[in-house]
Amino acid sequence: APKWAAADKKAAAEAPKFVQTCHPDNKLYAQFAATVAERYRNSTNYFQIWNEPYANQFYWGGTADTYTDMLKLVYPAIKKVHPEAKICGGAAWDEVFFKAKGSYDFWPFHCHSGAENLHSIIARHRKMAEKAKVGMSVFWNDETGFAVDPFTEGAEIKKALIEKFEL
């Protein structure tokens, strides 16, 4: 977490500039999120709670459990000031999808590994939906991209163009 929002202020002060070793103070973060939701309630209904929290380079430093707790505090705080808000989880650990059920309106997934892997990602999420007894519409692909080097033989975009347009 940024130093001002860290649960462990000492660890935050000692952490490298762009990598944090401690998670945010979840109560403080819930207050912050509610303030943002209230301020922008006439501009948007959609809020994602900390994209990719497992990645320390995004100022997280917590665990799946601390992120679950965050969702459980943030969701009601935002809904109190902006009842129409739709809360998105943060493309986090699969276990959080189950532990935090009821503390998000939809759950994101990312596909950066090539179109051929998208089918396996969807299949994994279909199993998660069945286990949680929710529909597939709870899953949103909110981030997609492919590494492309147009000067390298066999680049993804080149292969896609060749297949699509028979070049």
Side-chain angles (χ1 to χ4, degrees):
K3 290 172 177 52
W4 64 266
D8 182 341
K9 304 286 190 227
K10 184 177 184 298
E14 295 171 358
K17 185 175 182 179
F18 295 108
V19 177
Q20 296 298 324
T21 57
C22 58
H23 63 87
D25 177 316
N26 286 342
K27 289 180 184 174
L28 182 62
Y29 189 81
Q31 292 171 357
F32 168 76
T35 300
V36 170
E38 185 173 30
R39 180 176 181 170
Y40 294 104
R41 71 176 171 255
N42 294 323
S43 300
T44 186
N45 290 333
Y46 297 90
F47 300 91
Q48 184 171 29
I49 309 306
W50 213 294
N51 186 42
E52 298 178 353
Y54 51 79
N56 285 347
Q57 72 266 29
F58 297 126
Y59 296 100
W60 176 252
T63 64
D65 287 335
T66 55
Y67 184 65
T68 298
D69 292 340
M70 175 185 277
L71 287 173
K72 289 180 177 183
L73 289 172
V74 170
Y75 187 85
I78 289 177
K79 291 290 191 170
K80 181 177 181 181
V81 299
H82 188 357
E84 300 82 24
K86 300 296 181 200
I87 311 302
C88 177
W93 304 267
D94 288 354
E95 67 188 87
V96 176
F97 171 77
F98 298 102
K99 289 180 177 180
K101 188 176 174 187
S103 298
Y104 55 83
D105 295 304
F106 57 97
W107 194 257
F109 68 90
H110 300 166
C111 180
H112 293 286
S113 53
E116 65 279 359
N117 292 324
L118 182 58
H119 296 289
S120 63
I121 292 169
I122 291 171
R124 187 177 98 240
H125 285 82
R126 183 169 282 120
K127 287 179 184 175
M128 289 169 62
E130 289 170 2
K131 184 176 179 182
K133 297 181 179 12
V134 298
M136 280 298 286
S137 63
V138 74
F139 295 109
W140 289 24
N141 181 359
D142 73 337
E143 193 175 304
T144 300
F146 304 100
V148 176
D149 178 357
F151 304 106
T152 301
E153 192 66 37
E156 288 296 322
I157 196 163
K158 192 174 190 180
K159 289 192 303 188
L161 288 172
I162 289 169
E163 291 171 9
K164 175 77 175 169
F165 300 105
E166 299 179 17
L167 296 176

